[in-house]
Amino acid sequence: MQRFSNYFNLGLTQASLDFVNIDVVEDSPVYIDPHAIRTQQGTWIEACQDSITSYFDSLLDAIRNDDAAYLRDLIGPLTEPNETHLGESKGKSSGRSLGSEKRAQELISALRRSRAIQSGQLTDLEESILFVDGVGIDILSDITTCLIRSHLIDYTKNQCSFHGVTTEPQFAEQTWDARARAWMPGIEHDLPRGPDGSLLLVPKSIVRVRPELDKDKFFKGYIRPFYEQAELSRGVASDFVRLIAAGTKRARMKVNLTDLGDHVGTTKAAIARHAEDFPEAIKNYRADKSTPTVPLDNAQLAERVNDVLPDFGELLDTVNAIASGRAGATPYHRSVAAFLTAAFSASLGNERLESVQHGGLKRVDITYDNVAGDGFFRWLSLHYPSAIVVVECKNYEDDPANPELDQIAMRFSPDRGRFGLLVTRRIVDRPRMEARCRSAATDGHGYVIALDDADLRRIAADIQEALAHDTNPREFPLLRERFGKLIGQG
């Protein structure tokens, strides 16, 4: 195995990388899940959502209008996306998408005969795993990769720029244009190159081991209870009900669920029929699946890519070894990003490096999407605009002042996010710094938490303590405490 970080000498492990630390030759056993994309928020992720939605709407229109030519045009460019190196191919990476005419025709046939499409039940790509024959997590991941390829290209370029990864002009396959609702010709892009060709990086926030939507769980948890209740209402007259502990106080009726499932059917065609008969089932399932789930955490992803767990002590030592001042600004920025990405894994993701001109000077922001499914950042997303979280790093010897707070506040917007972190070396006058942050919040300029080296150590300690006691490491009590002070609760 030769991981991306080793191949390009990044000196970082999976935890400190925002993308999946893929094997540059073989596949890494995770998949892009379009449902994870749909339930997240943020600028980059919403561009991916637009691409997926516009494509699938076009596909449904072509099927319902029986437009065979347009359908072939839509399906044909879904080539095998070997450049992401995701999946479980044996040996060299090899996608299982629709790169052959046979597979394309098989999908077209499955879509055309899908009862869920004809009835209008199937409206989103990710639900095809419930209703369309032949669509599993591997095919679904490959299709999604093709649809968001242009966004993965942009993401890859940004990450390579940040980490100093060498790129070179390489041909990339066709990309889907959401506005034109058409495939655009493949062109050259500056991308990293592995031993067998170009590489595309995938944010770890959108990969899963198994799909969030599951046909069997949908049947057992949402459809079968309707049939079970119907049989129980018939009592022992039902072929699937028997009396347990007859003649005792514990007497009760029990349904043979296995036989019931065999009788009513659990194929995808049957699932579509059941969903028609019990519309509340799909309504409830969608409602329960409408909120973000927790992405793979450091331990889960390290296991999948055969990497090590984060060493927060080592990450902090790297930060502390950098001298304060302008000369160390870039290494400080990168070392803080490595720490924060590891610390906030499964809470913040889709990292972007943004160069901003301000007052004639160039400064750099780190921007994350809030992808949290639990913990502090999930709570924050439910109560305050925080789809995007801005981080500014100041390798200062002195305390940041109002101009630095103004700079980060300029990155806020009412609908995208009004929360950020200002990370610096040492805050000598903590009460004064907190008063400045509180004043900015009170004046409606947004919520900024200032952190220094000592605070980073406490965040790491809190994570390690939570893991040691088997509690949620994403609660971040320091951030909750500081945010409480911003809103007058501390």
Side-chain angles (χ1 to χ4, degrees), residues 206-225:
I206 65 172
V207 300
R208 299 291 187 269
V209 176
R210 289 173 292 277
E212 294 290 350
L213 302 188
D214 183 279
K215 175 181 73 72
D216 293 334
K217 291 180 180 179
F218 174 48
F219 174 77
K220 292 176 181 179
Y222 295 83
I223 291 175
R224 191 173 66 184

Side-chain angles (χ1 to χ4, degrees), residues 464-476:
Q464 291 168 327
E465 182 178 1
L467 291 172
H469 291 86
D470 199 26
T471 58
N472 189 350
R474 295 174 291 277
E475 292 295 345
F476 306 118

Side-chain angles (χ1 to χ4, degrees), residues 249-479:
K249 292 181 178 180
R250 296 183 292 107
R252 67 189 189 281
M253 290 184 292
K254 183 177 180 181
V255 177
N256 186 319
L257 298 178
T258 300
D259 288 351
L260 180 61
D262 292 341
H263 176 70
V264 301
T266 59
T267 64
K268 290 189 176 184
I271 294 293
R273 186 181 69 251
H274 302 324
E276 284 183 48
D277 294 339
F278 305 107
E280 286 297 308
I282 189 65
K283 179 181 177 181
N284 293 338
Y285 189 64
R286 285 169 175 162
D288 289 345
K289 294 295 183 179
S290 63
T291 57
T293 56
V294 180
L296 299 181
D297 61 24
N298 286 327
Q300 292 169 321
L301 201 49
E303 179 182 2
R304 304 305 290 184
V305 302
N306 195 27
D307 208 339
V308 298
L309 292 175
D311 185 334
F312 287 110
E314 183 177 321
L315 291 171
L316 289 170
D317 287 345
T318 302
V319 174
N320 296 333
I322 300 168
S324 301
R326 179 170 294 183
T330 297
Y332 173 70
H333 187 272
R334 285 179 172 164
S335 64
V336 168
F339 173 82
L340 294 180
T341 298
F344 298 149
S345 177
S347 291
L348 302 181
N350 311 332
E351 174 192 60
R352 296 177 300 284
L353 178 71
E354 298 183 0
S355 297
V356 182
Q357 294 292 334
H358 179 69
L361 297 176
K362 182 179 179 180
R363 77 176 198 277
V364 177
D365 296 334
I366 306 171
T367 304
Y368 294 98
D369 289 345
N370 186 345
V371 301
D374 65 2
F376 169 75
F377 284 102
R378 177 59 179 162
W379 171 86
L380 189 69
S381 72
L382 293 174
H383 297 90
Y384 298 89
S386 54
I388 295 173
V389 175
V390 176
V391 179
E392 282 205 20
C393 304
K394 303 296 183 184
N395 194 34
Y396 289 0
E397 297 178 0
D398 302 319
D399 289 6
N402 287 330
E404 284 70 40
L405 287 176
D406 291 341
Q407 284 181 5
I408 194 169
M410 289 175 60
R411 306 296 295 149
F412 295 160
S413 67
D415 55 339
R416 309 306 305 142
R418 297 176 61 81
F419 176 79
L421 300 174
L422 178 59
V423 186
T424 190
R425 302 313 305 268
R426 185 176 59 145
I427 299 175
V428 177
D429 192 343
R430 172 66 66 178
R432 187 179 185 186
M433 186 73 243
E434 291 184 349
R436 285 170 170 163
C437 293
R438 188 165 53 251
S439 177
T442 302
D443 292 342
H445 298 312
Y447 304 94
V448 179
I449 293 178
L451 302 172
D452 63 10
D453 288 358
D455 293 326
L456 299 186
R457 284 194 293 274
R458 180 177 163 187
I459 289 172
D462 288 340
I463 293 171
Q464 291 168 327
E465 182 178 1
L467 291 172
H469 291 86
D470 199 26
T471 58
N472 189 350
R474 295 174 291 277
E475 292 295 345
F476 306 118
L478 175 62
L479 298 186

Side-chain angles (χ1 to χ4, degrees), residues 101-117:
E101 180 67 21
K102 178 182 178 182
R103 284 179 177 167
Q105 288 301 322
E106 288 174 351
L107 179 62
I108 290 172
S109 297
L111 290 168
R112 279 179 158 168
R113 66 173 178 265
S114 171
R115 180 174 184 144
I117 289 180

